[in-house]
Every structure is written in C-alpha cells, then in structure tokens.
Amino acid sequence: MLSSEGLYQLVAIFGGTHGNEMSGVTLVNLWIQNGKEIQRKGVETKPFITNPRAVEKCTRYVDTDLNRAFTTENLSGDDLPYEVQRAQQINETFGPKGSPEAYDVIFDLHNTTSNMGCTLILESSKDHFNLQMMHYIKKAIAPDSCPVLLTEHPLLKYSTSRSVAKHPIGLEVGPQPQGVLRSNIFESMRLVLKHALDFIELFNEGLEFPPCTVDVFRVSEKMDYPRDTNGNIIAMVHPNLQDCDWEPLNPGDPMFQTFDGTTIRYEGAGTVYPTFINEAAYYEKQQAFVTTRRETLAAGAIKKT
Amino acid sequence: MLSSEGLYQLVAIFGGTHGNEMSGVTLVNLWIQNGKEIQRKGVETKPFITNPRAVEKCTRYVDTDLNRAFTTENLSGDDLPYEVQRAQQINETFGPKGSPEAYDVIFDLHNTTSNMGCTLILESSKDHFNLQMMHYIKKAIAPDSCPVLLTEHPLLKYSTSRSVAKHPIGLEVGPQPQGVLRSNIFESMRLVLKHALDFIELFNEGLEFPPCTVDVFRVSEKMDYPRDTNGNIIAMVHPNLQDCDWEPLNPGDPMFQTFDGTTIRYEGAGTVYPTFINEAAYYEKQQAFVTTRRETLAAGAIKKT
C-alpha cells in the first residue's frame, strides 16, 4: 500500500489560465465570491484566477501561453513577458514546483473547441493519488464518460500552470467556443470538480482506496494541417473526423479534406484515438489534432497515514 | 417593373472583416490566389481582405470593430484607430458610400458561434435587387434553409463594411468557434456565394425576374445577459434556448439560467424568433441574443435595361 505523504489539505482551483475559456473563469469568480460549494472537511481550497490580464481582455494570453511557461529557465529568469512574470508569482504562491511546501493538488480548468466531453488530464502514470481520484470520478459520473488523457511523453513537455503542485490535474471540457459560456459545459465541469473534492474529503477522513486500474489515452503524436510551402493551411479536418474525438482512427480513414475536395487519409501503422481535433488555440502550435493510444494503468492502494 | 440602374458589374467579396471568422478569410485568400471559381460573365468580382492586421493576429479587430466603423463621422475624420483608417481606405476603393461610383454589390463573409445556419443579412426592405437575389438563393439551396435577417431598424444602426456598396449583403454562417475552420461551414458559405454569383450573371445576361415575396426575420430588440450591479453576468443562456436560433420563443419560455439554477423566463408580449444566441463577440456589446419578428416582403420585378 502506498502510504501517502501528508494531509492533502492544500488544494487550489485555477481558472483563466487561458483568459477566453469561460467555464473555469466563471466558476472560479463565483467561488471567490462564495466558496461554500467547494468547502470540504480537512481541505483548504483556494480558487484563483491565474491570468487576470488575459481574462480582462477575453484572450488566451497577453504575451505568451501561461500554460507552457512553467519551465525551469522561466521560473528563475527576469525582465520577462507578462505570463512568465505571472508564472514566477504563481510558483511562489502555490509551489515552489518540486518542493515539499508545494500545494498538494491543483485543478486547472480549461475549455476546448474540440468535442472532447469532460476530459481529465494526468501528467504522470505513477501518480497513484491522481489515478485513484480519476477512478473515483469515472465511477461517480457513469454512465456519462470521463476520458483520461495522459500527457506523459518522452519528447513533448508541457510545463503547465498546475505542474507546480504535487498532484496536478487538468480539466478540459468541450466543445465550447472561446469567449462563450454554455450552460451544459459549465455544469459538467462543476460536477466533475464536486466529485474530485468529495474524493479528497473521503481520503482525508481516512478512507482506504484499494488497488484499481484506470483506462487512459496516452499522447502519442502531434498531427499538423497540410500546408503549402509558405506555411498556409491547404486542407481542413475531414467531416468524418471532425467532432470524433476519442473514436478510433484506422489506417486508410479520411483525415483531411483539401479546398478542392481531395481526401487525405491516415497512413499510420495502427489504430489511434485522436483528440483535441480542430482546437482553435492549436492552429498557432501547428497542431490539427493529437493521436493517442489506449493503455490501462494500475493504481496502488492509498490511505492517509 | 423596377428598371435597374446599371451593369451590375462591380462585385466585391469581403473576408476578414472580423479576423477570427475563418471561413471568409480562407475563401477570400483562396480566391485571391485563383479566382476561377468566382468568375462570371459580365461581372468583375474582387475578393478582398478587409482587416489584414486582425487576420494576422486571428482576432476580431485590433482597435475597434471595423464592421461598425462606417459612420459618416468616421469616414471623414483623421488621426484615428486602425479600423477607422481602414474604413476610410475601403470607402475610397469600393465607395464612396452613397455615390454612383460605389460598387454594385458587396458580399461580406462572417461566421458566428450561434447556431444560425446559413443566414443572409439584408439591410433594407426596399432593396428589390437583393430581395430577388435572396429569393433565388433560397430556391436554389432548398430543401436546406437559408434564413434572411433584416437589420433595418429605427434605432439600431450598424454602419457595416458592406454598406459602402449599393447592394450590401452579409453572410453569417454558424455555428463555428472563432479561430476554427470547419469543413461543413466552409462549404455552406461557398455554395451560397456560388448561387449569388450565378444570379448576378443571369441578371447581367438580361433575364427578367418576376415579382416575388421573401420571408424575413426583422431585428426587433437586443437582449442582454442578466447582470449584477457591477455589470458581471449572473446567468447563462438557458439550455432550452441555446442553439435554438430562429425557433419561436413564447412568453413564459425559459430564457436564462442563473448560476444557482434559477430559470428566468421570457416576458415579452408575444412570440419572437431569437437569433445570434450566445454569440462570443456580443458579450462586449451587452447582447445575449437579438429578437426578431417574421415578416413577408414583396420584391418588384427586375430586369437589366
């Protein structure tokens, strides 16, 4: 049994890491005014707007993507863009990243224009506490689904805002356009967070969570839009793939459609599960979607000591 | 019979009036490279990116909304925001607004996050040429629908980019998030424009269009989100109303849902037809949706003289 390390009493909920993803911005602002909904026994929960200037302008960021800014170099540099300064402040308040004083859990609330439903993002396959939490949430919201995206990858490094915590958890809920608040998306996010906080309370009360397994989608490969020699996009996500996040994409399946109607097919070696399909914010990151592969992770038992 | 005034040879197609509405941006850029698809006998068609800086930044505008900038004061002022300077240049190239030298027709291509389908926007109920064109388009794309939104209103003035032409036509196609290109939305816009250009060609060839009627939705009232005394939104579009653009809203029907779950109902005097429901760009304009009323307009016969 994993004897877990502490009281798990410091929990932060981040909204507005991207200033135009409205569910998290709205929920966090609501809870700053009245935190009753997020109070749990033995847990100190802090709702926090991470990028207030971007929220004010209703834009993803001001100078650079805050959710990629938490690199070691950034966290020690000076004379830097707004989001990097902000990353340093957040690291001081909720970290320092990798230290024993860091917050136990940070939830970072995001929306996507992709049809990803209510997705939990996990950064490490070895994080038994988070795996147990995700197992709990999946059971609690069944028969609705709650896919887990594992971003652990030998090459792709994200340096997210939530990475300053011991147990970072991303919530990515969609589809919702940037700058828009949809009641269905808002209520889905709110419900997942309720179950997550319930789990932390149960853990704090000393409940033992026995070993379990969690099905996840592990990030595999970034796929860019087809482009001409000047870098201009020459094809769109194919209508057969659009909105089909988490569904199998097999070799030979339609993937893109050029402006003159030609179909471009997937030519990988085996079945993958695309997600973040046609996400607005990823055009600038040269990413039409990301492929994932299914995997089952084992979580050891946990109990507060 | 309306003996119409000229050759109808000068046609412009505007994209990127809002830099993050991607169907028009993409189509216009495609046609600037290769205009074959938009060539018609007796018609000179000019594809044009109206707000290149906003397109570059993939944002609605840089300083101010170009599509509200074509006021008389703006068109004669100096030392002004980027979009106002741009409005003056566009007015010189495609106008001057209200003059005999102005372009005959301008199509202005827009996307919306609202579920408006493929909407044609008409600025004047007396514009028989445009009414005939819209009648033609509606017939051509049936059984698919193509609602006409009439923005003529005693108080609401829009001062749109297309208003420099004798016959201004807006195309508003959705739902599509800002910064995203969806193939279904792209192809719908492309098809409507094809029929519109076909109509102009037929008119130029001397075909007579007999009197007809066109069902339109006339803009009636702007509805704001419920707000607290600080101006913060306290409710969302109700799930029963979300995505129900053009469907009847009756007195007593749910309209908003507060964050604590209370339903706010429509209390108007009679049935209205909401549209632009939960459009991202209209949060800053204090508009959750606009109500419209149904009306049938008569178009006189037209024939080129």
Side-chain angles (χ1 to χ4, degrees):
Chain A
M1 181 183 301
L2 177 78
S3 200
S4 75
E5 64 256 40
L7 293 168
Y8 286 106
Q9 64 185 1
L10 288 180
V11 174
I13 302 173
F14 286 180
T17 293
H18 297 134
N20 54 10
E21 299 179 2
M22 299 306 289
S23 303
V25 171
T26 308
L27 281 170
V28 166
N29 276 329
L30 204 61
W31 293 331
I32 287 171
Q33 283 183 10
N34 181 353
K36 200 174 161 215
E37 183 176 341
I38 53 171
Q39 284 163 12
R40 295 293 187 283
K41 265 178 281 178
V43 187
E44 194 186 309
T45 309
K46 186 173 175 59
F48 187 77
I49 294 288
T50 40
N51 195 335
R53 280 201 207 161
V55 169
E56 177 72 24
K57 298 179 77 169
C58 195
T59 186
R60 186 174 174 85
Y61 55 76
V62 178
D63 292 328
T64 184
D65 192 338
L66 177 62
N67 211 31
R68 301 293 183 274
F70 287 72
T71 60
T72 311
E73 305 80 61
N74 278 352
L75 295 180
S76 56
D78 52 21
D79 192 20
L80 292 160
Y82 171 68
E83 275 83 3
V84 177
Q85 295 174 39
R86 193 75 190 148
Q88 293 185 351
Q89 293 160 8
I90 290 167
N91 188 49
E92 266 176 45
T93 308
F94 298 96
K97 188 170 169 171
S99 78
E101 303 87 60
Y103 262 57
D104 295 300
V105 180
I106 293 176
F107 297 100
D108 198 16
L109 310 185
H110 288 262
N111 292 122
T112 172
T113 62
S114 306
N115 188 25
M116 289 172 68
C118 212
T119 296
L120 296 165
I121 305 183
L122 177 68
E123 304 205 347
S124 160
S125 61
K126 305 280 190 297
D127 186 337
H128 296 261
F129 180 80
N130 271 358
L131 281 167
Q132 286 283 1
M133 190 194 303
M134 290 175 180
H135 180 254
Y136 177 91
I137 294 169
K138 276 170 162 287
K139 270 187 11 193
I141 76 159
D144 287 343
S145 82
C146 189
V148 174
L149 176 64
L150 173 63
T151 57
E152 193 178 66
H153 190 282
L155 300 173
L156 306 172
K157 296 287 174 223
Y158 292 92
S159 309
T160 58
S161 310
R162 57 190 174 268
S163 69
V164 302
K166 297 188 184 87
H167 304 287
I169 296 167
L171 247 80
E172 191 70 71
V173 193
Q176 181 172 272
Q178 296 174 345
V180 168
L181 184 66
R182 287 179 65 99
S183 57
N184 59 333
I185 300 297
F186 177 88
E187 295 298 351
S188 297
M189 182 179 276
R190 191 180 205 171
L191 184 63
V192 165
L193 215 41
K194 174 203 154 356
H195 293 311
L197 293 171
D198 289 350
F199 168 87
I200 299 177
E201 184 176 60
L202 289 171
F203 178 81
N204 262 293
E205 288 176 348
L207 190 68
E208 177 180 334
F209 295 85
C212 68
T213 59
V214 182
D215 292 331
V216 306
F217 295 88
R218 187 192 283 265
V219 164
S220 173
E221 200 182 352
K222 287 184 175 192
M223 303 292 285
D224 192 11
Y225 297 89
R227 294 175 191 268
D228 65 17
T229 48
N230 297 320
N232 297 315
I233 284 172
I234 56 167
M236 303 169 282
V237 169
H238 194 279
N240 289 21
L241 179 58
Q242 179 69 50
D243 303 326
C244 296
D245 300 73
W246 309 120
E247 293 179 25
L249 180 72
N250 297 304
D253 284 348
M255 183 168 59
F256 296 110
Q257 182 176 283
T258 66
F259 297 135
D260 59 6
T262 307
T263 295
I264 298 174
R265 292 170 188 280
Y266 178 63
E267 293 186 341
T271 300
V272 291
Y273 298 83
T275 195
F276 277 117
I277 297 171
N278 211 355
E279 157 59 38
Y282 292 170
Y283 280 76
E284 71 175 29
K285 298 187 199 292
Q286 278 80 48
Q287 184 184 313
F289 59 91
V290 63
T291 65
T292 71
R293 293 180 188 275
R294 297 181 69 161
E295 205 170 299
T296 300
L297 299 180
I302 61 168
K303 186 177 190 310
K304 189 177 166 191
T305 50
Chain B
M1 181 184 298
L2 177 79
S3 199
S4 74
E5 66 257 41
L7 293 168
Y8 287 105
Q9 64 186 2
L10 288 180
V11 174
I13 302 173
F14 286 179
T17 293
H18 297 133
N20 54 9
E21 299 179 3
M22 300 305 289
S23 303
V25 170
T26 309
L27 281 170
V28 166
N29 276 329
L30 204 63
W31 294 330
I32 287 171
Q33 283 181 10
N34 181 352
K36 200 173 162 217
E37 183 176 341
I38 53 171
Q39 284 164 11
R40 295 294 186 282
K41 265 178 282 177
V43 187
E44 195 186 309
T45 308
K46 186 172 175 58
F48 186 78
I49 295 287
T50 39
N51 195 335
R53 280 201 209 160
V55 169
E56 176 72 25
K57 298 178 76 170
C58 195
T59 188
R60 185 174 174 86
Y61 55 77
V62 178
D63 292 328
T64 185
D65 191 339
L66 178 62
N67 210 32
R68 302 290 183 276
F70 288 72
T71 61
T72 312
E73 306 79 62
N74 277 351
L75 296 179
S76 56
D78 52 21
D79 192 19
L80 291 159
Y82 171 68
E83 274 83 3
V84 177
Q85 294 174 39
R86 192 75 190 150
Q88 293 184 351
Q89 293 161 7
I90 290 167
N91 188 49
E92 265 176 46
T93 308
F94 298 96
K97 187 170 170 171
S99 76
E101 303 88 63
Y103 262 57
D104 295 299
V105 179
I106 293 177
F107 297 100
D108 196 17
L109 309 185
H110 289 261
N111 291 125
T112 173
T113 61
S114 307
N115 189 23
M116 289 172 65
C118 212
T119 297
L120 298 165
I121 304 182
L122 177 67
E123 305 204 346
S124 160
S125 60
K126 305 281 189 295
D127 187 336
H128 296 259
F129 181 79
N130 271 358
L131 281 167
Q132 286 284 1
M133 189 193 302
M134 290 175 180
H135 180 253
Y136 177 91
I137 294 169
K138 276 170 162 287
K139 270 184 16 189
I141 75 158
D144 287 343
S145 84
C146 190
V148 174
L149 175 64
L150 172 63
T151 56
E152 193 178 66
H153 190 281
L155 300 173
L156 306 172
K157 297 287 173 221
Y158 292 92
S159 310
T160 59
S161 309
R162 58 191 173 269
S163 68
V164 303
K166 297 189 184 87
H167 304 286
I169 296 167
L171 248 80
E172 191 71 71
V173 192
Q176 181 172 272
Q178 297 174 344
V180 168
L181 185 65
R182 287 180 65 98
S183 57
N184 59 333
I185 300 296
F186 178 87
E187 295 298 351
S188 296
M189 182 180 275
R190 190 180 205 170
L191 183 63
V192 165
L193 214 42
K194 173 203 154 358
H195 292 312
L197 292 170
D198 289 349
F199 168 87
I200 298 177
E201 183 175 64
L202 289 171
F203 178 82
N204 262 294
E205 286 177 348
L207 190 67
E208 178 180 334
F209 295 86
C212 67
T213 59
V214 182
D215 292 331
V216 305
F217 295 87
R218 185 192 285 265
V219 164
S220 174
E221 201 181 351
K222 287 184 175 193
M223 303 293 285
D224 191 12
Y225 297 90
R227 293 176 191 268
D228 65 17
T229 48
N230 297 319
N232 297 315
I233 284 172
I234 56 166
M236 304 169 281
V237 169
H238 193 280
N240 289 21
L241 178 59
Q242 178 69 51
D243 303 327
C244 296
D245 299 74
W246 308 120
E247 294 178 25
L249 180 72
N250 296 303
D253 284 349
M255 184 168 61
F256 296 110
Q257 182 176 284
T258 66
F259 298 136
D260 58 7
T262 306
T263 296
I264 297 174
R265 293 171 187 279
Y266 178 62
E267 293 185 340
T271 301
V272 291
Y273 298 84
T275 195
F276 277 118
I277 297 171
N278 212 356
E279 157 60 36
Y282 291 170
Y283 280 76
E284 70 175 28
K285 298 187 198 292
Q286 278 79 48
Q287 185 184 310
F289 60 90
V290 65
T291 66
T292 71
R293 294 180 187 275
R294 296 183 68 162
E295 206 171 299
T296 301
L297 299 179
I302 61 167
K303 186 176 191 308
K304 188 175 164 191
T305 50

